[in-house]
């Protein structure tokens, strides 16, 4: 297993915002999404990604929040099932206006506004998930300064703002999506760990 510890202090000069930050991020999103549409994970890769995510989760305790993956994203269906087998509660999201609401161990689903499978039943805001130990996040890329690039709606940045800082933030990616620089904006929330089928990358704060 490749294990990298990256200190944000060492790369602090990389992610200074510029006037064309939004334009640059949109261009980067378009390029990454085009690459994703042509990327197919084999069953072995899916299995490896699930095992790596489980390994990272094994370092935490408590409930786990996990995104519901679209076909082009690193898949989470097997991961959700494996976490449930371990006896840990799993919270899955659904869109409610500009927020994500979370449902514990759901059994019933509908297709939501963005074509994502969404859980039905009693739901809570992220700030109400007091037993949460980790969250598995979607992303198009993460850079060396622990900045995550999402799809631009800001749902997960708003979720992270609500969570205790002790909740472990793990992003699932394809290997090539760990990149040098993502233009950073004030609302962007840093992450703790990247998990891909073939490596884990950990970010640490300077001592």
């Amino acid at each position: 297993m490749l294990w990298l510890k990256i200190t944000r202090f060492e790369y602090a000069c990389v992610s200074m915002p510029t006037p064309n930050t939004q334009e640059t991020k949109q261009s980067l999103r378009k390029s990454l999404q085009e690459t994703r549409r042509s990327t197919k994970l084999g069953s072995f890769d899916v299995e490896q990604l699930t095992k790596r995510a489980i390994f990272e989760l094994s370092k935490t305790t408590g409930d786990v929040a996990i995104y519901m993956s679209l076909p082009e994203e690193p898949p989470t269906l097997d991961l959700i099932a494996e976490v449930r087998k371990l006896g840990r509660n799993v919270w899955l999201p659904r869109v409610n206006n500009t927020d994500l609401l979370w449902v514990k161990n759901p059994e019933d689903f509908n297709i939501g506004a963005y074509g994502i499978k969404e859980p039905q039943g009693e739901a809570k805001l992220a700030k109400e998930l007091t037993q949460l130990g980790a969250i598995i996040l979607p992303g198009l890329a993460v850079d060396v300064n622990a900045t995550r690039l999402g799809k631009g709606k800001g749902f997960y940045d708003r979720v992270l703002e609500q969570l205790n800082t002790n909740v472990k933030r793990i992003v699932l990616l394809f290997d090539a999506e760990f990149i040098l620089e993502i233009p950073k904006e004030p609302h962007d929330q840093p992450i703790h760990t990247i998990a891909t089928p073939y490596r884990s990358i950990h970010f640490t704060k300077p001592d």
Side-chain angles (χ1 to χ4, degrees):
M1 176 176 64
L2 179 59
W3 181 288
L4 301 178
K5 277 196 172 183
I6 299 178
T7 304
R8 287 200 289 273
F9 177 78
E10 297 171 355
Y11 298 95
C13 63
V14 173
S15 298
M16 294 297 290
T18 61
N20 64 341
T21 292
Q22 279 291 339
E23 182 180 341
T24 303
K25 289 176 85 170
Q26 284 300 103
S27 177
L28 187 56
R29 283 188 184 101
K30 181 179 179 181
S31 175
L32 288 163
Q33 286 174 318
E34 288 175 353
T35 300
R36 271 204 172 168
R37 282 191 284 269
S38 63
T39 301
K40 303 297 182 184
L41 284 187
S43 58
F44 178 77
D45 292 322
V46 172
E47 182 180 353
Q48 289 298 108
L49 180 59
T50 300
K51 287 180 177 179
R52 190 165 298 280
I54 289 291
F55 175 73
E56 296 303 332
L57 288 174
S58 72
K59 305 171 190 177
T60 70
T61 58
D63 297 352
V64 183
I66 306 178
Y67 73 92
M68 297 291 291
S69 57
L70 289 167
E72 68 272 14
E73 293 178 321
T76 58
L77 187 62
D78 290 351
L79 175 60
I80 292 166
E82 290 301 316
V83 175
R84 291 287 301 273
K85 287 179 184 178
L86 294 173
R88 297 177 70 171
N89 292 320
V90 173
W91 294 84
L92 303 179
R94 71 167 180 254
V95 174
N96 181 52
N97 297 320
T98 60
D99 285 316
L100 290 180
L101 297 179
W102 298 84
V103 180
K104 183 168 72 172
N105 301 329
E107 301 293 341
D108 299 320
F109 297 85
N110 287 330
I111 301 300
Y114 296 96
I116 301 172
K117 193 176 179 183
E118 293 185 340
Q120 302 305 296
E122 181 183 355
K124 296 184 177 182
L125 289 167
K127 63 184 178 182
E128 299 175 280
L129 308 186
T130 57
Q131 302 303 311
L132 201 65
I135 181 169
I136 302 291
L137 300 157
L140 292 170
V142 172
D143 72 8
V144 295
N145 209 35
T147 301
R148 182 187 69 93
L149 181 68
K151 293 184 177 179
K153 300 293 185 182
F155 285 113
Y156 283 92
D157 286 317
R158 288 189 288 275
V159 166
L160 294 178
E161 287 176 350
Q162 298 179 50
L163 294 181
N164 188 293
T165 55
N166 292 327
V167 175
K168 188 171 185 178
R169 306 170 176 187
I170 303 169
V171 178
L172 303 187
L173 292 179
F174 301 127
D175 280 272
E177 293 168 345
F178 176 50
I179 64 178
L180 180 62
E181 180 181 5
I182 295 168
K184 187 173 183 180
E185 297 179 273
H187 65 266
D188 289 329
Q189 295 288 316
I191 60 97
H192 300 137
T193 297
I194 301 169
T196 82
Y198 296 101
R199 59 179 172 171
S200 295
I201 298 170
H202 300 265
F203 301 91
T204 60
K205 294 180 180 179
D207 296 329

